[in-house]
């Protein structure tokens, strides 16, 4: 999870995402070439002002598409953000699609970055190539600028609506309004859910939302953030290269397809290099490459600060870590290619949200994931402080291929409650554990685990938590234990079945003292 001192305020249910939002880009037909506003895109002329003029013109026309040629557009000047440590080259406004073709490249030049030495007191600096959001650098939805909060009655998970504590206050909202619902109204990185109003019943004090309730906030508050939100923005077929390629904040309906977001990590001086995605609602990243170039690999946080209803599909990641959290919800990751370059932290891919599906991805360790032994991991369902666990759940890790080199650590670590791990193929070398379920009522079924000298499946159980269920898995290896279930006798609860597993090659196929019912291997 993103530390609060970072530059941000620049920080079994269906997984189908409800698309009920409508914005200018769905109807606008304006198409503008950046050349119309003087962009040369010859790799040497500063095209920053010309491209921004084209983007602004498309927005002023009610939305539209701005096209780039198949060459390099140099961005060699910058603008300040409202955050004193944040600077950017271009901002893509609401209703605008930035469209490239093969070879379209936005390259941040040396004059397109501020130097941290010129910012008194700064401990880091963001020099962002592309920004999205009316104020991308400072979170506004939870501040006084939202126009004020209204108290809601307790929220019910799965409900399509919320009810104001004072019914008449529903008249302050209209169909189409963007709203932010917070569990608390003060503090940093607050539990929240963003949505759009699709119906108003003033008599009942009820607002119907585009998205069902994700979490059961007991005393929530709602704000109308229509004026603050950016919306309906796309970036397609563009190579974006610089210190920090992309920052998106407080934006509804964002998509990025067939892009390359390349963090140039040779640019030092305290620069933030990872993408910054904060409070992004209804978003899709498809077919992109997200990687570091010219320097060390970096950790990549995919979506933070209440980002929800997101899809990551067909992307290629080349990073030290990949993960999300900070009250993420309704996140689907399918058919991505993830290459992990261990940095000694022991952290790989972490899924820390509510209603998360990781399906059909391939994960590769490009080194040995040895840090944080024995709690390091290549993939984990939850990686977060203990007080955050209640905000996670319904995580499904299915049909993935995990190539694992993690001596003393875990290929797949399950610590969340009720996580489903099914249909995965895990191939490991060395002393890595295939799947470790710690204090978790995980369902571990139909996985194929080919392992070296480590344990195939390791169950570490607490006396007060239902045990993991391990069924119909196929395990092979040369180590001592195929399945090791350290499950002490418990005062109550259930679970803990271990049965119908096929185990070959291990010295002790199944060792389960104190476990629940165990029916065969």
């Amino acid at each position: 999870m993103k530390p609060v001192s970072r530059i941000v305020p620049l920080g079994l249910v269906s997984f189908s995402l409800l698309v009920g939002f409508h914005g200018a880009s769905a109807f606008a037909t304006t198409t503008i070439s950046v050349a119309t506003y003087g962009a040369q895109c010859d790799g040497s002329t500063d095209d920053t002002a010309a491209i921004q003029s084209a983007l602004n013109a498309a927005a002023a026309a009610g939305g539209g598409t701005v096209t780039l040629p198949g060459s390099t557009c140099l961005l060699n000047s910058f603008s300040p953000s409202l955050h004193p440590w944040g600077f950017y080259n271009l901002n893509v406004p609401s209703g605008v699609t930035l469209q490239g073709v093969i070879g379209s490249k936005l390259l941040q030049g040396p004059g397109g970055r501020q130097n941290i030495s010129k910012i008194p007191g700064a401990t880091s600096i963001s020099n962002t190539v592309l920004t999205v959001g009316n104020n991308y650098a400072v979170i506004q939805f939870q501040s006084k600028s939202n126009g004020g909060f209204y108290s809601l009655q307790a929220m019910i998970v799965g409900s399509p609506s919320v009810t104001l504590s004072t019914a008449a206050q529903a008249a302050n909202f209209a169909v189409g309004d963007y709203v932010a619902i917070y569990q608390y109204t003060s503090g940093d990185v607050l539990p929240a859910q963003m949505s759009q109003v699709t119906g108003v019943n003033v008599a009942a004090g009820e607002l119907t939302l585009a998205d069902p309730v994700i979490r059961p906030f007991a005393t929530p508050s709602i704000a109308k953030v229509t004026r603050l939100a950016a919306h309906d923005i796309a970036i397609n077929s563009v190579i974006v290269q610089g210190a920090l390629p992309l920052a998106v904040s407080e934006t509804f309906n964002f998509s990025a397809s067939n892009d390359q977001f390349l963090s140039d990590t040779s640019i030092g001086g305290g620069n933030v290099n990872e993408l910054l995605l904060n409070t992004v609602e209804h978003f899709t990243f498809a077919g992109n490459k997200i990687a570091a170039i010219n320097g060390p690999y970096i950790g990549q946080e995919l979506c933070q600060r209440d980002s929800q209803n997101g899809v990551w599909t067909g992307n290629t990641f080349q990073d030290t870590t990949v993960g999300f959290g900070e009250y993420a919800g309704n996140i689907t990751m399918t058919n991505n290619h993830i290459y992990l370059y261990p940095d000694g932290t022991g952290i790989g891919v972490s899924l820390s949200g509510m209603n998360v599906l990781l399906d059909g991805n391939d994960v590769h360790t490009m080194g040995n994931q040895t840090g944080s032994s024995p709690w390091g991991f290549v993939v984990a369902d939850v990686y977060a402080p203990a007080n955050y666990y209640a905000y996670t759940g319904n995580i499904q890790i299915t049909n993935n291929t995990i190539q694992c080199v993690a001596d003393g650590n875990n290929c797949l670590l399950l610590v969340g409650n009720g996580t489903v791990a099914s249909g995965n193929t895990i191939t490991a070398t060395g002393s890595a554990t295939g799947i470790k379920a710690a204090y978790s009522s995980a369902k571990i079924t139909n996985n194929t685990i080919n392992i070296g000298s480590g344990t195939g499946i390791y169950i570490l159980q607490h006396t007060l938590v239902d045990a993991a269920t391990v069924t119909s898995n196929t395990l092979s290896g040369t180590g001592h234990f195929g399945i090791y279930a350290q499950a002490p006798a418990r005062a109550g609860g259930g679970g803990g079945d271990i049965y119908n597993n096929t185990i070959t090659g291990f010295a002790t196929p199944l060792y389960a003292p104190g476990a629940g019912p165990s029916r065969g291997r």
Side-chain angles (χ1 to χ4, degrees), residues 174-447:
V175 171
D177 275 338
Y178 297 111
V179 292
I181 304 170
Y182 284 91
Q183 182 176 13
Y184 316 110
T185 58
S186 62
D188 188 53
V189 193
L190 302 173
Q193 178 172 344
M194 316 300 159
S195 194
Q196 188 175 30
V197 176
T198 59
V200 179
N201 184 334
V202 176
E206 185 177 87
L207 304 177
T208 303
L209 304 178
D211 309 290
V213 171
I214 298 174
R215 296 181 174 96
F217 297 161
T219 56
S221 299
I222 188 170
K224 182 169 66 175
V225 296
T226 306
R227 178 179 57 83
L228 303 174
H231 57 85
D232 300 285
I233 296 168
I235 301 168
N236 304 323
S237 303
V238 183
I239 302 169
V240 185
Q241 179 177 327
L244 198 168
L246 177 69
V248 185
S249 287
E250 298 185 328
T251 297
F252 292 79
N253 298 345
F254 173 79
S255 67
S257 63
N258 302 313
D259 301 303
Q260 296 184 44
F261 297 109
L262 306 178
S263 298
D264 189 342
T265 55
S266 69
I267 301 168
N271 272 279
V272 176
N273 297 124
E274 68 191 69
L275 308 190
L276 295 178
L277 309 173
N278 294 283
T279 318
V280 190
E281 312 301 323
H282 282 264
F283 62 91
T284 300
F285 282 78
N288 304 288
K289 178 180 179 180
I290 299 171
I293 60 171
N294 300 328
Y297 294 96
I298 58 173
Q300 183 57 61
E301 293 181 330
L302 299 186
C303 45
Q304 302 292 319
R305 282 185 180 260
D306 305 295
S307 293
Q308 295 157 5
N309 300 298
V311 175
W312 299 83
T313 184
N315 303 285
T316 298
F317 300 92
Q318 297 174 350
D319 297 289
T320 58
T321 63
V322 174
F324 54 82
E326 293 184 349
Y327 313 105
N330 298 348
I331 305 295
T332 297
M333 297 186 68
T334 61
N335 303 313
N336 298 286
H337 314 288
I338 303 173
Y339 297 87
L340 300 174
Y341 295 81
D343 60 357
T345 63
I347 304 169
V349 178
S350 58
L351 318 169
S352 301
M354 183 68 72
N355 305 336
V356 177
L357 176 65
L358 183 76
D359 181 79
N361 305 277
D362 54 89
V363 183
H364 311 265
T365 45
M366 311 303 290
N368 198 338
Q369 188 73 289
T370 57
S372 296
S373 179
W375 293 99
F377 56 85
V378 175
V379 178
D381 57 353
V382 180
Y383 176 72
N387 61 359
Y388 180 72
Y389 275 59
Y391 296 96
T392 68
N394 191 27
I395 298 174
Q396 300 185 39
I397 301 173
T398 56
N399 306 312
N400 302 285
T401 300
I402 301 174
Q403 176 272 320
C404 171
V405 183
D407 286 337
N409 280 315
N410 310 285
C411 301
L412 176 56
L413 177 64
L414 306 177
V415 294
N417 188 38
T419 296
V420 172
S422 180
N424 302 288
T425 298
I426 298 174
T427 303
T429 59
S431 61
T433 295
I435 299 178
K436 180 176 182 178
Y439 317 125
S440 168
S441 57
K443 305 298 186 290
I444 302 171
T445 65
N446 297 298
N447 300 285

Side-chain angles (χ1 to χ4, degrees), residues 470-490:
V470 182
T471 68
S472 303
N473 301 282
T474 300
L475 297 86
S476 62
T478 61
H480 195 69
F481 298 108
I483 298 176
Y484 186 107
Q486 182 180 325
R490 294 173 296 119

